[in-house]
Amino acid sequence: MPISSAPSTSLSFYSSSLFHTSPFHPPRSLLCPLRPHAPKAGAGGAALAVRSELATLPVLSFSGEKVGEASLDLRSAPLETARAVVHRGLVTSLQNKRRGTASTLTRSEVSGGGKKPYPQKKTGRARRGSQRTPLRPGGGVIFGPKPKDWSVKMNRKERRLALSTAIASAAAAEDAEAFVIEDFEDGFRAGPKTREFVEALKRWGLDPKEKVAFMMTEVPQNVLLSCRNIGTVKVLTPRTLNLFDVLDAKNLVFTKSAVEYLNSAYGADAEDDEDIESEEDDDVFYCFLGLKVLVGVSRFC
């Protein structure tokens, strides 16, 4: 079913136009002009169905005045599968965050209960062979949770496509604000001030009570200290960029460097190199490599 004719989903707190569609008012992301992406040969010689969505965002100064425009050109999934790709990426992200360490003791693992509590007969009570029975307080648990791996496998290209599709759709949504701001580090050079950051949000036309996600490549210390006490503000960097925070925010604010990074990493001209891995994968690899080095050193000590 095409995205434009799908009814509203139960995930109403997501602000992306992928989750706020109506058969009478299709989102602006579906009406804006698309620049077709160069087809690439896939399995059997078929071209990969990936399109490029161009969004023009206004550039605002720290005082709230419009000083220019910036283009956000990201890859997007086709209309027929965009909702499914984003949903799969969101479920995968939330599933992989589950630790799965909950564990209960069965009747065979509870201490005690080796002796029969009382004789089988002539007591007038129900027969009982152990105090570890689940029917007694302190006994074992029936069908309780055990350590489990909840992780779900998702291809890297599909995961990146889900993220870029969500950003492109949210940036072009009519019911949300998306714009670019100039570097505002100088506004907080005197020191961190939460009140000044709230006033800056109002100058940019944002409601401090609505969730907003700031996408920045580098976060100055005074800016981070000024907004960390605001519960509706989320600061995302290339290392912490994730699908849930993008969909959960009603408004998106980019810096110029963040737009350049997104266009280069998730844009139409981004290279699909199998050797390119995400920051998280690099962290896991180096952590594993460090453990191997420590184990190897310990053998010779």
Side-chain angles (χ1 to χ4, degrees), residues 12-161:
S12 59
F13 62 93
Y14 294 131
S15 63
S16 173
S17 60
L18 290 172
F19 296 92
H20 288 275
T21 57
S22 171
F24 306 101
H25 301 283
R28 183 161 57 93
S29 60
L30 306 183
L31 302 178
C32 61
L34 304 179
R35 182 169 62 87
H37 181 62
K40 294 186 178 181
L48 297 178
V50 177
R51 61 194 178 95
S52 176
E53 184 169 346
L54 178 63
T56 303
L57 304 178
V59 179
L60 304 181
S61 62
F62 184 71
S63 60
E65 299 177 356
K66 183 178 179 180
V67 295
E69 292 182 347
S71 298
L72 185 65
D73 190 8
L74 303 181
R75 292 183 179 181
S76 300
L79 302 181
E80 295 78 9
T81 60
R83 184 188 297 270
V85 169
V86 174
H87 179 267
R88 175 173 166 81
L90 179 63
V91 171
T92 302
S93 176
L94 296 179
Q95 282 280 94
N96 293 342
K97 287 183 178 180
R98 300 189 64 172
R99 299 179 62 184
T101 56
S103 180
T104 55
L105 301 179
T106 62
R107 63 178 301 167
S108 63
E109 298 171 337
V110 177
S111 61
K115 177 183 177 182
K116 191 174 178 65
Y118 47 82
Q120 180 87 349
K121 298 181 179 296
K122 299 182 180 180
T123 61
R125 304 176 63 182
R127 54 191 176 183
R128 182 153 303 171
S130 174
Q131 289 289 86
R132 296 183 295 182
T133 172
L135 305 180
R136 295 283 299 176
V141 179
I142 304 175
F143 302 121
K146 285 293 184 180
K148 180 180 179 181
D149 182 15
W150 292 94
S151 61
V152 180
K153 174 66 171 62
M154 186 176 183
N155 294 335
R156 181 184 63 86
K157 290 184 180 180
E158 187 179 6
R159 184 173 66 249
R160 291 169 59 87
L161 181 62

